[in-house]
Amino acid sequence: MTTNELIDHMKSKGITFNFSSEKEAYEMLTKVNYYFKLTSYRASFAKDENWKYQNLDFAYLTDLASIDMQLRDYLFDLSL
């Protein structure tokens, strides 16, 4: 899928782009992060009866990915 198709797919799943725009999401997906890594964090969010995510914005996924990376780096440093 192209990046635009991935964004459309996320929208069809109920993921919103209120706190980060679709343009920011496009840049994040093409330059900074991978789709599967970001969307793996969506499992922690509730779905409605139509299997669409409730109150899930793309910005939340990017924040979780950033927190995860920082925590991994910190724990790696501690382990050394």
Side-chain angles (χ1 to χ4, degrees):
M1 293 178 119
T2 67
T3 304
N4 287 326
E5 290 172 336
L6 292 173
I7 291 171
D8 289 339
H9 179 69
M10 286 186 281
K11 287 168 54 176
S12 74
K13 296 284 188 180
I15 298 172
T16 60
F17 295 87
N18 298 325
F19 298 110
S20 65
S21 68
E22 289 182 36
K23 181 181 177 187
E24 292 170 328
Y26 182 89
E27 290 185 22
M28 173 67 78
L29 291 169
T30 55
K31 296 179 182 175
V32 178
N33 216 323
Y34 299 108
Y35 170 79
F36 291 109
K37 180 180 178 183
L38 279 177
T39 57
S40 67
Y41 299 105
R42 68 185 180 187
S44 301
F45 292 87
K47 293 182 180 180
D48 64 12
E49 62 276 352
N50 296 321
W51 292 95
K52 293 193 179 221
Y53 291 98
Q54 299 176 331
N55 303 317
L56 176 54
D57 194 85
F58 185 79
Y60 303 159
L61 298 174
T62 58
D63 284 347
L64 287 171
S66 176
I67 292 166
D68 181 50
M69 180 195 66
Q70 292 172 30
L71 181 61
R72 287 173 191 256
D73 286 346
Y74 178 72
L75 292 173
F76 181 74
D77 290 342
L78 282 176
S79 68
L80 293 178

